[in-house]
Amino acid sequence: MPVPKKRHSNVRQGKRRFANYRLRPASLSRCPNCGNLHPPHQACPNCGQFKGRQVIKLKAKKEKGKKA
């Protein structure tokens, strides 16, 4: 196996390895029911549906400022 004649600096080593650790933006998909963005393969946190079925029971949101 060939051996390098000279040592590579830490900067050159870091440049080479940087591509493996680069952050990528999170992928999001749109909910067909409410149109809200959510992570793929997960239930929508807004409406609680996944693949056209209700999988999360959500509590009714309270309206602010209205008293009985």
Side-chain angles (χ1 to χ4, degrees), residues 8 11 13 16 24 28 59:
H8 286 235
V11 175
Q13 173 184 334
R16 185 178 67 247
R24 291 173 182 84
L28 297 174
K59 295 180 181 179

Side-chain angles (χ1 to χ4, degrees), residues 13-24:
Q13 173 184 334
K15 284 181 190 177
R16 185 178 67 247
R17 293 180 180 173
F18 174 69
N20 298 333
Y21 302 109
R22 188 178 319 148
L23 294 176
R24 291 173 182 84

Side-chain angles (χ1 to χ4, degrees), residues 9-59:
S9 70
N10 291 340
V11 175
R12 282 186 69 174
Q13 173 184 334
K15 284 181 190 177
R16 185 178 67 247
R17 293 180 180 173
F18 174 69
N20 298 333
Y21 302 109
R22 188 178 319 148
L23 294 176
R24 291 173 182 84
S27 61
L28 297 174
S29 57
R30 198 163 290 280
C31 176
N33 185 43
C34 65
N36 195 27
L37 293 175
H38 65 90
H41 307 288
Q42 292 186 17
C44 177
N46 191 37
C47 64
Q49 289 198 357
F50 181 68
K51 290 189 176 182
R53 298 183 299 145
Q54 188 73 27
V55 292
I56 299 175
K57 293 181 181 176
L58 299 175
K59 295 180 181 179

